[in-house]
Amino acid sequence: GAGVSQSPSNKVTEKGKDVELRCDPISGHTALYWYRQSLGQGLEFLIYFQGNSAPDKSGLPSDRFSAERTGGSVSTLTIQRTQQEDSAVYLCASSLVGDTQYFGPGTRLTVL
Amino acid sequence: AQSVTQLDSQVPVFEEAPVELRCNYSSSVSVYLFWYVQYPNQGLQLLLKYLSGSTLVESINGFEAEFNKSQTSFHLRKPSVHISDTAEYFCAVSEQGRGYQKVTFGTGTKLQVIP
């Protein structure tokens, strides 16, 4: 595709439910990043993938958060047992290694 | 570790007036510097970046930023703003030599251009 796509664009869930957020990076981009944009916190780095491996997971806030990438392409961010403080916009970005990151439109997650 | 400070959360400015959005950073190593822009209801877009070489970098829509190592600043300027520049602007840094860009963002500055 022409750019990074993310789905769903909006997700409303109840506290305690699990959610999966999807990212489709730009074709050929081997690097993939997840960020979280929340009120009062700004943009926070969550995890970095190079191919299918994640050498930097340092930004994942708790063990309820996990992510995987398959085929060096699509990535899924999973949040288990969602809490209200997980409400945020989750952004995905992709790039060639070490190059400029291109961001997707984000998934707005609301936990009731 | 690095950090980015954008002291101004909102900057109102009249159309055709000049504007400066301030950014200061802290890092123990050399960094790359970026400005990203987020237009209403749109995703983040790279506006300009400093990697090396000339300390003054420009965007295609008239913005410029100057890397000042001694003051650890990377302020964004435009001599004459347009209504279409209304957006939120994020300053960001990443450490050199890491092999990938683990970007640290500032909290953003909302630029409101007043007709």
Side-chain angles (χ1 to χ4, degrees):
Chain A
V4 179
S5 61
Q6 293 185 246
S7 61
S9 56
N10 280 283
K11 177 71 176 179
V12 180
T13 190
E14 294 179 349
K15 178 181 173 181
K17 300 284 189 183
D18 298 352
V19 295
E20 287 189 351
L21 313 180
R22 177 187 170 105
C23 172
D24 283 89
I26 293 172
S27 179
H29 281 190
T30 56
L32 187 147
Y33 305 78
W34 283 97
Y35 294 87
R36 180 169 70 173
Q37 186 176 22
S38 51
L39 284 175
Q41 296 294 325
L43 277 149
E44 306 169 275
F45 167 86
L46 297 178
I47 188 170
Y48 158 67
F49 283 93
Q50 176 53 39
N52 292 336
S53 63
D56 190 342
K57 308 178 184 178
S58 61
L60 294 178
S62 75
D63 58 8
R64 295 186 296 104
F65 287 72
S66 63
E68 66 173 11
R69 189 179 185 194
T70 57
S73 181
V74 173
S75 177
T76 303
L77 177 69
T78 301
I79 309 173
Q80 296 179 311
R81 306 181 302 282
T82 53
Q83 304 294 314
Q84 289 183 332
E85 60 263 29
D86 299 335
S87 295
V89 176
Y90 289 83
L91 294 170
C92 175
S94 72
S95 76
L96 297 172
V97 175
D99 204 349
T100 300
Q101 295 180 34
Y102 294 86
F103 283 80
T107 293
R108 182 175 297 277
L109 175 65
T110 303
V111 182
L112 301 176
Chain B
Q2 63 261 32
S3 65
V4 179
T5 302
Q6 292 181 252
L7 287 175
D8 304 309
S9 59
Q10 295 191 52
V11 173
V13 62
F14 286 103
E15 192 174 15
E16 298 183 4
V19 69
E20 178 179 82
L21 306 183
R22 295 180 293 167
C23 172
N24 288 87
Y25 70 93
S26 173
S27 177
S28 56
V29 300
S30 297
V31 296
Y32 300 125
L33 294 153
F34 310 86
W35 276 98
Y36 281 85
V37 59
Q38 189 171 32
Y39 297 103
N41 300 315
Q42 295 187 29
L44 275 171
Q45 302 173 33
L46 180 67
L47 184 63
L48 47 76
K49 61 184 177 183
Y50 169 76
L51 302 180
S52 64
S54 172
T55 57
L56 183 67
V57 291
E58 299 177 351
S59 72
I60 58 173
N61 59 349
F63 283 93
E64 64 178 31
E66 185 160 21
F67 168 51
N68 187 318
K69 188 174 182 179
S70 63
Q71 298 186 4
T72 59
S73 68
F74 191 56
H75 302 329
L76 182 69
R77 302 182 181 94
K78 189 170 185 179
S80 175
V81 296
H82 303 286
I83 293 291
S84 59
D85 294 325
T86 295
E88 190 162 16
Y89 293 79
F90 294 88
C91 183
V93 300
S94 69
E95 293 181 359
Q96 292 187 23
R98 184 184 281 270
Y100 65 98
Q101 288 183 4
K102 182 177 180 179
V103 181
T104 299
F105 288 87
T107 51
T109 298
K110 291 182 179 178
L111 175 63
Q112 182 184 6
V113 180
I114 305 164

